[in-house]
């Protein structure tokens, strides 16, 4: 059972109305000093036991970042971030490597329980492998800045699949990391990517060799726990020719009055005929009903379809974070390659989201599909921002974009900002967008059948999102539905 | 001084040279000067200008502004009017009113800006810097007023420009159109010319309650010209602003229509077609702001792009919190006829009211090959088949021009465009 | 079962119901007939709690409880069912999922155990078959792309599944062919029992051939102008409303 499933069950008892993942875990932490400078960058690199080339790479990114300006074009409004006021490295204090699970702090295991990391996973974490695992799912858990445990590694290794913390991959598979790291999102790509490149501490690394279909779904849980700590994880997934993988990520954080920064980078590479399906359920702490606290989520996600007929599919359900700035994108280089973006972004209370995608069509006969569903409630603002760019050589390129917004209440905003740039006459681009509200007639119909107002809204909202939710792996989808309903609590009636 | 502000230097110098000779209150002009001095002309890094580069404008050396209409104009500088020739018309040459060539209307009052200079309240030079440029340098323009309940019929407004012995000229006319409650007017605007010049008109339109303005605009400037037009329209309750713009001329063009629906039951149509070829660049940018409940806005914009032409469409529908029951619709379609043509579009919705119905759509593609085949298989030659399909494509937008002589004039422009293209 | 006294209701400032008094005893089926605009649909909306209508005077009791004080979902859970004249579409919401959620909400209110997916599907498929509905209607989205007749049958399916105490059928017969009319009639008749009452709103006599009412009321200008037995419907069909209303006045 995926994380949020059990989380939801757990949650009901954890907190009263509002954010239900807000527990804090009391674990002994090791922090680097507050602030950001080259010493911190060096310290992170040193703690990770990194080779010289990576330190140089980080330092170059840091120096570039210092010369860059924070982007202001998004429809987001937040106070200036003091980058010197945060910790850039926090790790649970532990002894040797994570192989020895007995040494993991019991508090950490309790956190897994609260997070709802699958029962079978917890069994495995507890060393009881072989429990009735349904189609199993391998899990990498990233706690603050550090990957604390990765499961099912030996099973995966048998098929040649590498699934490990990226810090470990740097040591164990340096040639692969060096070849692909920064090849999709260069360190100087944008302000937040440069920051991440300088200070990233961990994240997941996945490598699926030629011809291999990953035997199970891979999953990473990201958890911010420590105070005043930024989280900068870096994920790199490479699928060689004909390989494929389905990857899920879930994110939660404790309730805190101050804002915390999360600036991740995700890079995907697919070669000929390879496929990556990347699903996200983002439920970072959104702040309270008055807009205090919450995660600032500035994320750069991009996939390169380098091979012919390759495919990258992004699916995201974004319900958390005070600020979301995120545009999972596809660079469609390979002939006949396919990019997809399915998104549900729900904002309530004082949340702000500016999210969407970029589809860059470079190769011939490349196709992309964008389905975006935005739901705004409370005082929130929700913006879809998407770019479809057809370059001169992309003859036969196709894009279809469907972009729908739903408003709940009259104090929120729903915005749509698509950019369509076409430089090939043989391409075909279609964009449709609508904005509407839940009709009184629909609500009344449901209530006349005995559904409460909130259940009726939940049901209609889930119907509105169906095209996206059906792209999620089945159980994830069921739980995402519940998450949408929970996130809308208090927005109606 | 950085490169950005440098682009306005020539214009600022001209303003200094004209001090004391420009009509009206100097204060708004000074304020506009200060805006340009600090912010310069719009540049690509601004979100609203990401697709249109005005840098060449800063490089071009425009001739000293004309303080009176120079007498170069024979009537052959004017566009062919066809069925519009019977109508009253206001002719502007190099931005100056030419009374000899004009025929004043009977039912609308017309005054010149040169003699009655006043800057309207709609313009926002602080935000719209081409309007600041206009405000700083405007010398003439038409002030057209229709009294309460009067149907003033049709009026033609012509602008003719040209360079002088190969030296480019810049002019910045300032027009104002006011329809009192229940008044009606059909205004056909035509901008034409030869050679290199800059035509930077600002038009402020105020429609009273229940008034109706049908505004047909032809931008058919000389192919080396810059056309940078800004139109503001304020629409009161139950008033209708029905506009259609055909952009076929100029080397670099930007048309910006900023429409505000501030009374219940207002209606705005902002339709357009762009026919571009060669290295033409034409940017059609609109903002429709719904501030009152129960208003409707409709927009159909079509682009036909040949050669290395670049078409730009930016269309924004803004819905204020108070504007419940808004009905907004926008459709943007482009046909690329050449491998080197480019279309960039950004249709935006910005919505703060919950009980609204807003939608937009955009499509980009080439001529439908099956339709082409169907026509050709019936014996129609390729070129004609293309022309037929393109005209059918444009028809959807053109059909919204209800005024027959205006429609015929637009059809003529399109046919002759096609003669060059085909 | 249902006791309405001097019920006045308006939409905005405009009065629609102007003093309706009507009692439907347990086990009885009453028909409401009347011309367009007489207030028939308004009566059904007011009884089920639609917020567009304001009750300005009078009372309505359902099994002795004050109906007008209840939220719409509470009325539904108490056993009041409205078969809508024009059922709304719910894009993306599966018909089976919707029906199961509704059924479990109602069952929960009755203190009955909720049905799991398998139990529910078995029941729903059997009912759908009885109503001669194609299987895929359960898989489709609620009323989306349904023909007029399919929508009405879907309403009847919901009614038979939810087992209400009081069903209000608001022109369920409009847009139905003869076969569908019979199916709807059979659906209602199957529910007839001492614990089930119905208010059948219709323009036409023909539905009442299938569902024979215990009483017929003629509504005009927001009031009941005439009441009678099943034969009144036939008289109306023969003479038209105008005459009956004129006679009553």
């Amino acid at each position: 059972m995926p994380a949020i499933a059990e989380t939801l069950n757990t949650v009901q008892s954890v907190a009263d109305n509002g954010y239900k993942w807000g527990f804090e875990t009391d674990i002994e932490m090791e922090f680097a000093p507050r602030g950001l400078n080259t010493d911190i960058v060096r310290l992170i690199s040193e703690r990770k036991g990194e080779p010289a080339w990576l330190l140089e790479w980080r330092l170059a990114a840091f120096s570039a970042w210092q010369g860059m300006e924070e982007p202001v074009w998004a429809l987001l409004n937040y106070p200036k971030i003091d980058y010197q006021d945060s910790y850039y490295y926090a790790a649970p204090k532990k002894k040797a490597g994570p192989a020895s699970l007995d040494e993991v702090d019991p508090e950490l295991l309790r956190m897994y329980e609260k997070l709802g990391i699958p029962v079978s996973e917890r069994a495995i974490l507890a060393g009881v492998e072989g429990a009735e695992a349904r189609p199993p799912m391998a899990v990498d858990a990233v706690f603050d800045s550090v990957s604390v445990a990765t499961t099912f590694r030996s099973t995966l290794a048998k098929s040649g699949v590498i699934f490990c913390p990226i810090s470990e991959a740097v040591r164990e598979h340096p040639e692969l990391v060096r070849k692909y790291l920064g090849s999709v999102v260069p360190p100087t790509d944008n302000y937040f990517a440069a920051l991440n490149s300088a200070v990233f501490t961990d994240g997941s690394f996945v490598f699926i060799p030629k011809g291999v279909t990953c035997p199970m779904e891979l999953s990473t849980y990201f958890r911010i726990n420590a105070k005043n700590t930024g989280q900068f994880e870096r994920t790199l997934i490479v699928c060689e020719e004909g390989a494929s993988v389905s990857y899920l990520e879930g994110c939660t954080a404790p309730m805190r009055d101050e804002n915390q920064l999360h600036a991740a980078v995700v890079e995907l590479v697919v070669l000929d005929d390879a496929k990556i399906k990347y699903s996200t359920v983002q439920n970072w702490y959104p702040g309270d009903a008055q807009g205090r606290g919450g995660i600032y989520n500035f994320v750069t996600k991009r996939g390169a379809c380098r091979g012919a007929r390759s495919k990258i599919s992004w699916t995201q359900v974004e319900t958390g974070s005070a600020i979301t700035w995120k545009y999972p994108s596809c660079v469609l280089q390979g002939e006949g390659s396919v990019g997809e973006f399915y998104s549900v972004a729900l904002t309530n209370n004082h949340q702000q989201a500016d999210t969407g995608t970029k589809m860059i069509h470079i190769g011939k006969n490349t196709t992309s599909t964008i389905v975006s569903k935005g739901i705004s409630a409370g005082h929130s603002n929700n913006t879809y921002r998407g770019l479809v760019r057809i370059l001169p050589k992309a003859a036969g390129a196709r894009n279809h974009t469907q972009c729908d917004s739903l408003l709940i209440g009259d104090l929120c905003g729903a915005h749509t900002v698509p950019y369509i740039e076409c430089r090939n006459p043989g391409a075909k681009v279609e964009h449709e967008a609508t904005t509407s509200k839940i009709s009184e007639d629909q609500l009344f119909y449901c209530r006349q059948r005995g559904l409460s107002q909130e259940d009726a809204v939940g049901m209609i909202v889930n119907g509105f999102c169906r095209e996206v939710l059906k792209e999620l792996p089945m159980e994830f989808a069921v739980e995402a539905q519940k998450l949408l309903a929970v996130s809308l609590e208090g927005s109606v009636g | 001084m950085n490169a950005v502000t440098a682009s306005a230097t020539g214009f600022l110098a001209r303003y200094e040279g004209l001090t004391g000779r420009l009509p009206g209150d100097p204060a708004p002009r000074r304020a506009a000067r200060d805006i340009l001095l600090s912010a310069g002309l719009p540049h690509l890094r601004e979100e609203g200008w990401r697709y249109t580069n005005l840098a060449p404008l800063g490089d071009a050396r425009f001739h000293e502004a004309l303080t009176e209409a120079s007498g170069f104009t024979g009537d052959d500088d004017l566009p062919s009017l066809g069925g519009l020739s019977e109508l009253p018309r206001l002719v502007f040459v190099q931005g100056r009113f030419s009374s000899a060539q004009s025929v004043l209307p009977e039912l609308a009052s017309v005054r010149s800006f040169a003699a009655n200079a006043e800057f309207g309240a709609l313009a926002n030079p602080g935000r719209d810097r081409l309007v600041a440029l206009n405000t700083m340098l405007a010398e003439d323009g038409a002030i057209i007023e229709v009294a309460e309940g009067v149907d003033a019929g049709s009026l033609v407004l012509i602008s003719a420009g040209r360079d002088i012995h190969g030296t480019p000229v810049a002019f910045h006319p300032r027009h104002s159109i006011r329809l009192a409650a229940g008044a009606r007017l059909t205004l056909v605007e035509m901008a034409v010319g030869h050679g290199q010049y800059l035509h930077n008109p600002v038009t402020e339109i105020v429609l009273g309650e229940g008034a109706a303005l049908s505004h047909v605009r032809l931008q058919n400037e000389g192919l080396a010209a810059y056309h940078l037009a800004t139109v503001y329209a304020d629409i009161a309750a139950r008033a209708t602003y029905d506009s259609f713009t055909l952009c076929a001329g100029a080397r670099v063009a930007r048309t910006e229509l900023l429409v505000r629906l501030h009374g219940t039951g207002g209606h705005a149509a902002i339709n357009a077609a762009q026919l571009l070829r060669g290295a033409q660049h034409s940017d059609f940018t609109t903002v429709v702001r719904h501030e009152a409940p129960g208003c409707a806005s409709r927009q159909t914009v079509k682009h036909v792009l040949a050669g290395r032409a670049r078409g730009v469409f930016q269309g924004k529908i803004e819905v204020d919190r108070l504007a419940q029951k808004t009905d907004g619709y926008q459709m943007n379609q482009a046909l690329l006829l050449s491998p080197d043509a480019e279309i960039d579009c950004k249709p935006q919705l910005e919505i703060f009211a919950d009980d609204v119905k807003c939608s937009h759509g955009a499509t980009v593609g080439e001529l439908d090959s099956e339709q082409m085949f169907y026509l050709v298989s019936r014996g129609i030659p390729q070129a004609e088949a293309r022309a037929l399909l393109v005209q059918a494509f444009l028809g959807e937008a053109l059909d919204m021009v209800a005024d027959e002589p205006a429609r015929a004039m637009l059809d003529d422009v399109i046919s002759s465009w096609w003669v060059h293209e085909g | 079962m249902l006791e309405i006294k001097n019920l006045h209701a308006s939409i905005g400032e405009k009065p629609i119901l102007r003093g309706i008094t009507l009692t439907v005893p347990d086990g009885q089926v009453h028909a409401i007939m009347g011309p367009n605009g007489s207030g028939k649909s308004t009566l059904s909306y007011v009884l089920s709690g639609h917020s567009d209508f304001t009750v300005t005077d009078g009372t309505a009791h359902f099994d002795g409880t004050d109906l007008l004080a209840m939220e719409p979902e509470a009325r539904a859970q108490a056993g009041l069912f409205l078969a809508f004249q024009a059922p709304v579409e719910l894009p993306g919401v599966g018909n089976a999922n919707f029906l199961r959620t509704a059924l479990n909400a109602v069952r929960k209110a009755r203190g009955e155990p909720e049905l799991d997916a398998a139990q529910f599907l078995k029941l729903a498929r059997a009912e759908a078959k009885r109503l001669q509905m194609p299987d895929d209607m359960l898989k489709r989205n609620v009323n989306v792309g349904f023909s007029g007749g399919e929508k009405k049958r879907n309403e009847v399916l919901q009614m038979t599944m939810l087992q209400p105490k009081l069903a209000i059928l608001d022109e369920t017969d409009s847009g139905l062919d003869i076969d569908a009319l019979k199916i709807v009639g059979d659906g209602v008749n199957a529910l007839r029992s001492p614990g089930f009452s119905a208010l059948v709103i219709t323009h036409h006599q023909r539905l009442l051939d299938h569902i024979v009412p215990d009483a017929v009321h003629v509504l005009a200008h927001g009031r009941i102008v005439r009441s009678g037995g099943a034969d009144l419907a036939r008289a109306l069909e023969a003479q038209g409303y105008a005459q009956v209303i004129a006679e009553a006045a």
Side-chain angles (χ1 to χ4, degrees), chain A residues 67 104 162 170 173 175 177 218 236 286 297 307 334 349 374 400 402 436 471 474-475:
Chain A
V104 174
I162 303 170
V170 168
H173 310 282
E175 69 300 334
V177 175
L218 305 183
L236 174 59
N297 192 33
N349 297 322
H400 184 83
Q402 175 68 45
S436 52
E471 295 298 324
M474 228 270 280
E475 281 196 51

Side-chain angles (χ1 to χ4, degrees), chain A residues 368-387:
Chain A
S368 61
T369 303
I370 299 171
V371 179
S372 163
K373 304 283 180 176
I375 301 129
S376 324
H379 292 79
S380 72
N381 270 295
N382 197 329
T383 302
Y384 165 80
R385 187 183 301 276
L387 168 69

